[in-house]
Amino acid sequence: MPLDREAWPTLEELRREEAELELPALSESDAYELGMLAVAAAREQRLPIAVGVWRAGRQLFHCGLPGSTQDNDQWLRRKGRVVMRFEHSSLYMARLCQDQQVTLVEKFGLPASRYAAAGGAVPLRVRATGVVGWFGVSGLPQLEDHRFVVDTLRAISRQ
């Protein structure tokens, strides 16, 4: 589906956003707190999403909320693979592909069954370390998935 170039963030805006979301650390406890904050916000808004937090290839948190499906779990993993491959948000890669009028398959040879350039997963960057994992949701339109993730990361940084 083509992006509305006016409504969606630019690649530069998404790069700045990623830099802003850098974390001081990401322990198992941090991942749990991040996941629970997302679940609480989603429950309050009655959002039918799946939530996941991964570090170093290991799933540290997962929750499928009412209304989410196994399909959301699969989309979540596919978006997360994009984050770990490119160290950018899945929305960044969706915008890049749209701007260049290509797909991940065409540009990078990545199978659509395993990778999804669709908003909803962001890299978890740790200060002085780099990308160590990813945090994402699936179940809403891709821009809303992305905004939910970013808002949750911003909220946890204020705690």
Side-chain angles (χ1 to χ4, degrees):
M1 172 189 311
L3 302 179
D4 176 352
R5 292 177 195 270
E6 301 301 316
W8 287 60
T10 65
L11 292 175
E12 182 55 35
E13 289 168 334
L14 290 165
R15 276 191 291 270
R16 283 194 306 266
E17 182 178 78
E18 289 174 12
E20 167 198 334
L21 298 173
E22 187 176 72
L23 301 170
L26 183 65
S27 68
E28 287 86 352
S29 295
D30 297 330
Y32 177 78
E33 288 178 33
L34 177 60
M36 289 305 294
L37 184 64
V39 167
R43 290 179 89 180
E44 183 177 305
Q45 298 171 59
R46 291 189 162 90
L47 301 178
I49 61 174
V51 178
V53 181
W54 290 70
R55 184 187 69 194
R58 182 173 165 222
Q59 187 172 27
L60 298 180
F61 185 92
H62 178 267
C63 183
L65 291 159
S68 68
T69 67
Q70 186 176 25
D71 194 46
N72 298 124
D73 294 336
Q74 294 305 314
W75 270 95
L76 188 59
R77 286 183 183 90
R78 289 171 57 215
K79 292 188 276 189
R81 285 185 192 104
V82 166
V83 171
M84 294 311 295
R85 172 75 182 251
F86 298 102
E87 295 191 356
H88 281 294
S89 72
S90 54
L91 185 65
Y92 179 95
M93 294 308 296
R95 179 68 195 238
L96 177 76
C97 287
Q98 180 66 28
D99 287 355
Q100 296 179 7
Q101 298 182 347
V102 296
T103 65
L104 286 176
V105 172
E106 294 164 342
K107 186 164 179 68
F108 302 103
L110 298 175
S113 63
R114 296 198 40 86
Y115 294 85
V122 301
L124 293 173
R125 279 188 173 78
V126 171
R127 196 170 300 124
T129 303
V131 175
V132 298
W134 61 273
F135 165 50
V137 303
S138 179
L140 307 172
Q142 62 176 322
L143 185 55
E144 291 175 39
D145 274 350
H146 178 82
R147 287 182 177 148
F148 182 89
V149 169
V150 169
D151 289 347
T152 303
L153 280 168
R154 285 181 175 146
I156 203 135
S157 71
R158 290 190 296 265
Q159 291 185 344

